[in-house]
Amino acid sequence: IRTLCLQLCFVFITFQGARLGDNVVAANAILMNFLLFISFGLDGIANAAEVMVGKAKGQNSITSLKKITSVALLWTAIVAMGYCAVFWLTGEHLVSLISTIPPVVAYANQHLFWLILLPIVACWCYLFDGIYIGLTYAKTMRNSMLIATFGCFFPAWFLLQGFDNNGLWAAFLLFMLTRGITLAWHYYRHIWQKDSLAE
């Protein structure tokens, strides 16, 4: 269910971009490639946290879990800010490496600011995904994705659709933010305050 919701959002962005025109869907494809680039770095930290969190759970050590989470949060923030800086300083050059079609390049450059914001907004959901996989709390991840998809992404797009592609990207940014907030809220409310990892 979690994966289907995520893919539904990606497919929706593609189809809505296509409805807005060829240049829009092409520019969005470029920006989505940048999103994949972001995920490589952030997923690396999340995957490392996943393994260490799983070990902490096996040892029933809440102290280890808290330490792992704190260190992973720090490095996630550092990597995310690095991505923000890369897209801010070299984003237009990176776009020109992918496409040489002037209207597509121009349109993608007009929407680069969403990719500059995206790493620092979305990095938390990447990390907490890894933490919750390590904890084997699949139900929590599923619920977070359902809330983000149907309680945020689609309602936000509906309200912002008058802003065309900017509305689409704003909805996606809110979707990622909601995933991070819901998982972080659950973590600090139901895990951080516990004295044990025993279920």
Side-chain angles (χ1 to χ4, degrees):
I1 293 173
R2 173 187 170 276
T3 302
L4 285 173
C5 287
L6 184 60
Q7 292 303 317
L8 177 63
C9 292
F10 287 144
V11 170
F12 186 82
I13 289 173
T14 300
F15 277 101
Q16 282 301 124
R19 289 184 60 189
L20 295 172
D22 293 342
N23 291 334
V24 179
V25 72
N28 282 351
I30 294 173
L31 299 179
M32 280 295 182
N33 280 327
F34 291 168
L35 176 62
L36 290 175
F37 178 50
I38 293 170
S39 71
F40 292 149
L42 297 179
D43 273 341
I45 299 172
N47 289 339
E50 175 185 330
V51 174
M52 292 185 287
V53 165
K55 182 178 180 181
K57 183 180 181 182
Q59 296 172 340
N60 192 26
S61 175
I62 192 72
T63 301
S64 294
L65 174 63
K66 290 179 178 181
K67 183 177 180 180
I68 292 163
T69 303
S70 297
V71 172
L73 283 169
L74 173 62
W75 280 105
T76 294
I78 290 172
V79 172
M81 288 187 289
Y83 275 119
C84 292
V86 167
F87 291 131
W88 180 43
L89 296 172
T90 67
E92 292 187 4
H93 176 67
L94 293 174
V95 170
S96 66
L97 291 176
I98 298 174
S99 176
T100 57
I101 303 172
V104 173
V105 171
Y107 198 87
N109 287 337
Q110 291 172 15
H111 292 77
L112 263 177
F113 65 93
W114 293 113
L115 268 297
I116 296 171
L117 293 173
L118 189 61
I120 200 64
V121 171
C123 65
W124 317 113
C125 70
Y126 282 94
L127 176 61
F128 277 106
D129 271 354
I131 289 172
Y132 275 85
I133 290 172
L135 290 170
T136 65
Y137 286 7
K139 181 180 178 181
T140 303
M141 296 173 64
R142 180 203 65 197
N143 293 344
S144 170
M145 185 65 79
L146 287 170
I147 292 169
T149 302
F150 299 105
C152 181
F153 178 74
F154 285 109
W157 168 80
F158 181 78
L159 294 173
L160 298 171
Q161 59 183 311
F163 294 95
D164 295 330
N165 203 44
N166 283 318
L168 193 59
W169 278 98
F172 184 69
L173 206 72
L174 289 171
F175 162 76
M176 293 296 228
L177 181 63
T178 302
R179 286 178 60 203
I181 288 175
T182 52
L183 289 174
W185 175 84
H186 183 275
Y187 178 85
Y188 286 105
R189 182 74 181 270
H190 298 282
I191 299 174
W192 185 268
Q193 297 178 0
K194 291 172 63 174
D195 296 322
S196 169
L197 285 174
E199 297 189 36

